[in-house]
Amino acid sequence: MKTAKAGNIDEYIVTFPKEVQKILEQLRQTIRKAAPEAEESISYAMPVFKLNGKPLIYFAGYENHIGVYATPSGHAAFEKELSKYKQGKGSVQFPLSEPIPLDLISRIVKFRLQGNVEKEKTFLTELGAPVRRALENNSIRTFQQLAKYSEAEILKFHGIGKTTIPILQKALKEKGLSFKTQKKLPESISLEK
């Protein structure tokens, strides 16, 4: 299995035993049906479906399971249904000894598709990818969610620097929102000894 680097999904799938090829092809067709506009490619040595250059879902075959990577939002949104499967950071393993939950995978892809389309249209597209990832990794996908944080809390997220705050303030203001106000300590209390 997977002895040579595949240039496309067809080449990837044929490196597996026939019974695994069938499962990988079913998974591929399920994803294709859920996201017909998505493009197939290989990234990180595994199949991926992308929309507007952004990954919707990756999958990979292994000796005893099929790995699916719909990070981070796809896993978080279906946490309860995925809880019976072995998981890692951003991955879920579907054992080859059990039927692959194609309906669940289809719903995850549709959820990711909807999220990618909405994100492209509405949420802070003028920000760089590291900032958007930092917000998404902290489950911030709307202006209302962003407004629940103070500037200090946002600055603690990996990938966000001080130059981002004015952009976020402006975006919130345009939506009639603002950052949560951080409570100030009374002047009589000092943090220094």
Side-chain angles (χ1 to χ4, degrees):
M1 289 189 285
K2 296 197 298 184
T3 55
K5 282 193 172 185
N8 59 49
I9 295 180
D10 288 322
E11 292 175 9
Y12 179 89
I13 289 175
V14 298
T15 64
F16 290 87
K18 292 288 184 199
E19 62 274 7
V20 178
Q21 287 182 32
K22 183 179 176 186
I23 295 168
L24 289 170
E25 189 59 39
Q26 287 174 330
L27 179 56
R28 177 189 197 182
Q29 294 306 321
T30 297
I31 296 168
R32 185 180 282 161
K33 185 177 179 184
E37 310 86 20
E39 296 177 14
E40 293 185 352
S41 66
I42 298 289
S43 182
Y44 300 106
M46 63 182 136
V48 61
F49 279 76
K50 295 181 178 182
L51 183 67
N52 300 322
K54 298 185 189 305
L56 289 174
I57 191 165
Y58 295 84
F59 66 93
Y62 297 94
E63 188 173 341
N64 297 311
H65 71 275
I66 302 293
V68 173
Y69 312 84
T71 61
S73 63
H75 295 284
F78 295 87
E79 182 178 2
K80 185 176 179 182
E81 291 172 271
L82 293 170
S83 65
K84 71 179 194 172
Y85 300 101
K86 184 175 180 183
Q87 297 184 51
K89 186 176 181 182
S91 68
V92 62
Q93 297 178 10
F94 299 109
L96 291 172
S97 60
E98 300 175 17
I100 303 296
L102 297 174
D103 178 63
L104 173 59
I105 292 168
S106 177
R107 289 186 288 127
I108 291 170
V109 171
K110 289 175 183 176
F111 173 82
R112 293 277 298 142
L113 181 66
Q114 179 184 357
N116 275 23
V117 170
E118 287 174 7
K119 186 167 51 171
E120 280 294 311
K121 290 180 181 175
T122 58
F123 192 64
L124 302 173
T125 55
E126 68 272 13
L127 295 174
V131 174
R132 288 194 312 268
R133 271 194 304 275
L135 293 172
E136 186 175 279
N137 288 343
N138 288 282
S139 300
I140 300 172
R141 294 178 189 86
T142 66
F143 292 104
Q144 290 76 15
Q145 290 170 333
L146 180 62
K148 293 179 181 178
Y149 290 85
S150 69
E151 292 174 21
E153 290 168 325
I154 294 294
L155 284 170
K156 291 179 184 177
F157 297 159
H158 177 71
I160 296 185
K162 290 182 180 181
T163 58
T164 306
I165 296 298
I167 298 168
L168 296 176
Q169 287 172 329
K170 180 182 175 195
L172 284 169
K173 187 175 181 181
E174 288 172 0
K175 299 290 183 185
L177 300 167
S178 63
F179 281 114
K180 177 178 84 174
T181 305
Q182 198 164 9
K183 295 179 183 175
K184 294 185 179 184
L185 294 173
E187 289 183 31
S188 61
I189 298 176
S190 175
L191 296 175
E192 298 178 16
K193 292 184 178 183

